[in-house]
Structure formats: C-alpha cells, structure tokens
Amino acid sequence: MGASSRRDQRRRLVASWTRSSGSQPADEAQGGCQSTASTPYEDAADPTRHPALATRLPTGLGGFGLGAMVLLLPMAGAIALAVSGSLFDRPLLPAAEGRFARSLAVVATAFDPRGGLPVQVWLAELCLLAAAAVAGAVRYMRRHRRDDFKGRFRAWGWLAAFFTVAAWAGAVPLGPLVAAFLSDATGIVAGPAGIGWWLGLAACGFAVVVPWAVLPLRERALTALWMMLGLAAWAVTAAMPWAGQWVGGDGRAGLIAQAAWAAGAAIWLVAMLAAARSVIREVRGLCGPATEKPARKARAERKQEARAAAAAVAAEETADDDDGDQPEEELIFEEDRAAESDGHGSDFTDGSEADSRHLSKAERKRLRKLARMNGHAA
C-alpha cells in the first residue's frame, strides 16, 4: 500500500513537471549541450547541492581515464610485488646488503601476502569503501529522478552495502564464518569448508542488483564494461578453492585469489566512477535524447492507435445517442408498437423486401454499431 502511494505521488509530480516544462519556452543550448531544464531530474539532483564528493567526480573522458590510471597502476604494482616471489620464483625486491638493507626488508614484509594486512589488501579495502561512498552519491542523485516510479535508485544503496561488506570481509573472516554457520545449520557442506554458501549468496546478490542498477542508466556501456571486469576478477577468486590442484597447490591458489580480489576491488571503484559520470551527465543534460527500441515503439504506437479508435467509437456512440437514458430494447419495443398501431407491424416481410422496408431508428443505430465492430475486427 505504501509503495503504490509513493508511485502515485511520483506520477503526479511527473505530470505537473510535464505541464510546467511544456508551457515554458525551450532554452537555447550552450556549447552544443542540452539545457538542464530538459532533463528528467529535479533541481536537488545537481551535484553542486550534494556533499563535496559529488562535485569532485570526473565527468569528462580525459578526467575519467586519468582517475582510472591513478587507481589501477598502484594496485597493479602492489600485486606484482606480492605475487612475484611465489609465482615466478624471482622477487622484485631481492635481499640487499648495505646501508638500506633493513628498509628493503621492511618493504618486502609489507607486501608479503602471508602477513597480517599486506599493502594490496589494504588498498583494496580503501577502494571498496570509496566505491561504497560513490555509490551512495549516485543513489542520492538518482532518487531525485522524476520518472523513477519503482524506486530503482535503491539498487545503488544495495551496491554500497555490498561493497562495505566486501571491505569488511577482507579484514575479518566473515566468509568462513557465514560458511561454517550455514553448514552447521543445514547440515550441507557446499564446497571446501562450506565456502559455497558464502559465494552463492554473493553471486545471487550481485546478479540481482547489478542489472537493476545499470539498465536504467542512459549511458550504461562504460559502466557495464567495468562492472563485468570486476565480476570476472572476483569470479577468479571464487574459483580458486576448487582449482587449487590445477594451479600448484593451495598456497598458490590462495595467492592468486587474494591478487584477483584486490584487482577486482580497484576495478569496482573505476566502475562506480563511470556510473557517477553517467548520472552527472544525465543530471546536467549532457546526454543525448533517449532512443526507444523499435519493438517497444511499435507496441506503443499500436496501443495509441487502439486508444484513438476506442475514443472515436465512444464519440460516435455519444453523438448517436440522442434519446436520453432510455434503453435500446425499450426503443425497439416502442417503435414496434407504433408500427402495429399503424397496421404495418403484423405484415410478413421476407429478405427480398429488406431494401424497400423502412428501418426504424433503433435498427439503424444497431446496424451502424455492427458495421463499426466489423471494421475494427478486420
């Protein structure tokens, strides 16, 4: 009941906005871009009315590319330092002697994946928390869209919650805890040590929320590409508990899983920046007009033609109905009684005399109605 009332309220807001925008003259575009008044967003969606985060997000391709490089290159370097010793048997920071030997040893320990909190994991958690913050900013902007009757802006809030949980899982054993609890509760051990429960819940959550968030975007290709890359990186992490025997043991599988998880965290932050860029461009009216699919457009045209035909039929029936509220059957009976009083009602009339016989008003009305129904059926 509450959801339907909110949808009705949003529909009334859309109707009032459409009337107000239709009565105003079209604003002249500046710099080849559409005016903000033509966008389906309220004024509160503008990034300048938000906290400082929304005003500092890149909107141009150059700024977005630079931000992606700043995020991905340090993560790639940290992962390379972490995995080089175990995967290639050739560490990038060999044991050194001399004045800075102890400094290099501390740096090597900081990137050691077997340590308490390696640098790449710490960077990944920061990326996930930043992605949650950007998703929250996107949610704040999307919730001011006038035609969002179904509350699709909530998908970005769910994404922010997922990123927060993922960052928490990188610091504490949240996944093993959930796996052990569900395995004990159900008696079913899904995967090694029941980790399949945790991975299944995460996969179902992202499978529902990601399309729910991405599909309503006007410019969704770049966001969808980065999200698919992030999901692919985390899919490698999810596959490592089963692929340990093919990659050289559980130690190497754990190292690959950690590296893929850290890389996926950085990629998800880039995906959130792409989503924020798309939404900001929508709010500011920098996107092109929405293109409707041909099939959907044809269905809409057929529905509009059907409504127009129904309205025309109703108008004709209203024009022909000049006998008040008297039913059609009573009109026929009254005219038949009038014909009998004139001495013509008891005469037999066959089909050959149909053209010469005078039709009553009710019969003419019924014939016209039948003709219109046959025409619409054809």
Side-chain angles (χ1 to χ4, degrees), residues 27-317:
D27 296 336
E28 296 182 356
Q30 297 180 358
C33 300
Q34 294 181 349
S35 172
T36 307
S38 63
T39 62
Y41 283 89
E42 298 176 358
D43 294 337
D46 193 270
T48 57
R49 299 173 180 263
H50 295 193
L53 176 61
T55 60
R56 287 173 171 80
L57 296 176
T59 57
L61 283 177
F64 172 76
L66 181 61
M69 290 179 60
V70 169
L71 293 173
L72 295 177
L73 289 180
M75 181 64 73
I79 293 174
L81 290 173
V83 305
S84 59
S86 300
L87 294 181
F88 306 110
D89 295 329
R90 187 177 180 180
L92 294 180
L93 294 175
E97 297 180 357
R99 185 176 181 179
F100 296 100
R102 288 180 296 181
S103 301
L104 293 176
V106 171
V107 171
T109 304
F111 289 93
D112 188 2
R114 294 165 295 184
L117 186 63
V119 173
Q120 64 273 12
V121 175
W122 177 73
L123 290 176
E125 292 177 359
L126 291 180
C127 288
L128 289 174
L129 293 176
V134 176
V138 173
R139 181 189 184 278
Y140 186 82
M141 288 185 285
R142 292 287 297 181
R143 72 186 295 267
H144 292 290
R145 188 178 174 93
R146 292 186 174 96
D147 57 351
D148 189 5
F149 306 125
K150 300 180 180 180
R152 294 176 178 173
F153 66 92
R154 295 186 180 89
W156 299 98
W158 282 104
L159 275 178
F162 287 172
F163 293 145
T164 304
V165 172
W168 188 23
V172 298
L174 183 61
L177 176 61
V178 173
F181 175 77
L182 292 178
S183 298
D184 295 339
T186 61
I188 301 174
V189 180
I195 197 64
W197 287 107
W198 170 255
L199 298 178
L201 291 175
C204 292
F206 277 99
V208 172
V209 173
V210 168
W212 185 22
V214 175
L215 292 180
L217 296 179
R218 183 80 60 83
E219 296 177 347
R220 66 179 73 95
L222 189 62
T223 303
L225 174 62
W226 284 102
M227 283 188 173
M228 291 302 104
L229 292 176
L231 288 174
W234 281 0
V236 174
T237 302
M240 284 301 106
W242 289 270
Q245 56 182 346
W246 290 287
V247 297
D250 293 339
R252 181 167 291 188
L255 184 64
I256 295 175
Q258 186 186 88
W261 178 81
I267 293 173
W268 274 110
L269 178 54
V270 177
M272 291 299 101
L273 292 181
R277 172 182 176 270
S278 175
V279 174
I280 292 174
R281 284 173 57 84
E282 285 187 33
V283 172
R284 294 177 176 174
L286 302 178
C287 298
T291 57
E292 195 173 5
K293 293 183 178 180
R296 186 178 300 175
K297 186 176 182 180
R299 287 196 300 268
E301 291 178 354
R302 287 196 296 268
K303 290 181 180 179
Q304 187 175 3
E305 291 176 358
R307 293 194 193 97
V313 171
E316 291 179 2
E317 291 179 354

